[in-house]
Amino acid sequence: MIDLLSDTKTRPTPAMRQIMANAEVGDERMNEDPSVNRLVERCAALLGKQAALFLPSGTMCNEIALAVHCKPGDEVICDVTSHIIGFEGGGPAAIAGVMLNLVAGVRGIYTAAQLQEKFRPDRPHAPRQRLVEVEQTSNFGGGAIWPLSALQDVAGVAHAAGLSTHMDGARLLNACVASGIPAAEYARGFDSVWIDFSKGLGAPGGAVLAGTRDFVHEATRLKLRWGGAMRQSGIIAAACEYALDHHVARLAEDHANAQRLAAGIAQIDGLHIDPQTVETNLVYFDVAAANWDAEKLCNALLERGVRMGPMGPRTIRAVTHLDVSTAGIDAALAALRAELG
């Protein structure tokens, strides 16, 4: 199977598994797991924040951040394509109890001027605006990278209006590798930020949420309340640290494979993509061929051992990652040509 459904399909490498087997562990709930403690200290420094917290998933990072920054009934301003809207089981409403005010950005990226248009006076009949959220890179933007200047402008406008800021950094390190800009620079204007280890970095799970010491103190309370303590989770933290050491720079290989895939798709009649829009490891393309739609084509590809995901009636997403080689990309293109040829 050439699995391009998501970069969450990565599996621990043999070397990562060995590190996990030999990991130092302790009771993480009591701050006694040395592998976890080392990882969060390292991630806090990487992200330019005072402190950090190890959590089971990126979704928990987002939901905890919303709940720390906001009270029930408060409002979060975010792009219309944000992960917190369609992929967290309604968590913003069910768990944090917040309202979402949506900005129609371009490929998941909105401007400071668009943000300002969403501001309103603090009046009792309206939700209190508390938080501005961004996603780096933008998933539904096709892996688009927020320019540093745009992030700085949005954060500056938000803070000037008295709002806090949060960055969903699930694929932040993809942006860093593609642009050469350090994670701490991207995160500088954001009161909280997290990175995921179970996507392109290839760990079996885990994410780290960072912010001020006060923020992390409150986030820890919610982690415990929501069942996020993992006891001897150094086994997973060791995999995450291994990923930081060995799997960050190689994200460039995924980006190159995404470009290769996009260039090949552009040459297939009945498919449409602008390869210039592929900045990282996410490839979105449209099915224009008669008698085909996204679901039908994905089903046909699956029979040929290639897995992609329908993301709309005519839109397909393919995600490159650690477990897909250049040869795998070429095989996926051959399968597309065979179906549409």
Side-chain angles (χ1 to χ4, degrees):
M1 174 67 67
I2 300 166
D3 200 336
L4 292 159
L5 186 69
S6 174
D7 41 9
T8 61
K9 300 305 177 183
T10 55
R11 294 162 297 180
T13 63
M16 180 181 283
R17 288 174 181 267
Q18 189 61 55
I19 290 292
M20 294 171 69
N22 296 332
E24 293 183 276
V25 297
D27 189 342
E28 180 239 22
R29 165 68 177 78
M30 302 297 293
N31 298 316
E32 294 173 356
D33 190 302
S35 297
V36 171
N37 293 342
R38 186 169 57 247
L39 177 67
V40 295
E41 289 175 8
R42 183 171 177 180
C43 288
L46 175 70
L47 297 168
K49 304 304 178 188
Q50 292 178 349
L53 181 66
F54 189 47
L55 292 167
S57 70
T59 292
M60 185 173 278
C61 289
N62 273 338
E63 295 305 325
I64 285 178
L66 298 185
V68 172
H69 288 301
C70 304
K71 297 178 180 179
D74 288 346
E75 183 176 276
V76 177
I77 303 174
C78 62
D79 187 79
V80 68
T81 65
S82 297
H83 191 273
I84 59 175
I85 297 172
F87 290 90
E88 299 187 7
I95 302 175
V98 297
M99 303 283 289
L100 300 178
N101 190 336
L102 310 184
V103 185
V106 177
R107 299 182 65 217
I109 299 170
Y110 55 87
T111 67
Q114 286 180 294
L115 176 59
Q116 283 184 307
E117 290 175 357
K118 292 292 183 178
F119 293 162
R120 59 171 176 266
D122 184 7
R123 293 172 177 162
H125 60 262
R128 181 180 285 111
Q129 296 180 314
R130 288 284 194 187
L131 183 66
V132 172
E133 190 256 12
V134 303
E135 188 177 316
Q136 176 75 310
T137 64
S138 170
N139 181 351
F140 274 94
I145 300 170
W146 274 78
L148 181 59
S149 59
L151 290 172
Q152 291 172 334
D153 290 346
V154 162
V157 165
H159 288 149
L163 278 66
S164 298
T165 53
H166 171 65
M167 177 182 286
D168 174 337
R171 296 182 177 90
L172 172 59
L173 296 185
N174 287 89
C176 296
V177 169
S179 68
I181 296 173
E185 283 300 305
Y186 277 131
R188 186 179 300 278
F190 291 81
D191 299 303
S192 56
V193 57
W194 62 274
I195 55 174
D196 197 298
F197 290 94
S198 67
K199 293 185 170 68
L201 295 183
V208 172
L209 174 65
T212 65
R213 290 186 181 86
D214 287 344
F215 171 86
V216 170
H217 177 77
E218 292 303 314
T220 302
R221 187 186 308 277
L222 294 181
K223 172 184 176 176
L224 300 180
R225 181 181 298 167
W226 296 349
M230 296 178 283
R231 300 302 179 181
Q232 287 75 35
S233 54
I235 292 173
I236 304 174
C240 297
E241 190 164 27
Y242 179 90
L244 287 178
D245 290 334
H246 299 281
H247 292 171
V248 175
R250 66 144 309 280
L251 291 172
E253 299 173 23
D254 299 340
H255 301 168
N257 280 335
Q259 285 287 339
R260 186 181 186 93
L261 180 61
I265 290 171
Q267 300 300 313
I268 299 174
D269 290 340
L271 301 180
H272 177 72
I273 189 174
D274 178 1
Q276 296 299 315
T277 63
V278 178
E279 299 180 56
T280 50
N281 69 320
L282 300 177
V283 179
Y284 282 75
F285 61 97
D286 293 325
V287 181
N291 301 319
W292 286 96
D293 59 29
E295 185 174 1
K296 181 180 178 181
L297 182 54
C298 286
N299 288 337
L301 290 173
L302 192 59
E303 292 182 2
R304 293 181 178 272
V306 176
R307 191 180 186 196
M308 298 183 185
M311 301 299 284
R314 307 200 72 83
T315 300
I316 292 175
R317 186 183 79 161
V319 189
T320 58
H321 55 80
L322 178 66
D323 284 358
V324 177
S325 65
T326 300
I329 295 299
D330 291 342
L333 288 169
L336 282 166
R337 286 191 290 266
E339 290 298 334
L340 296 168

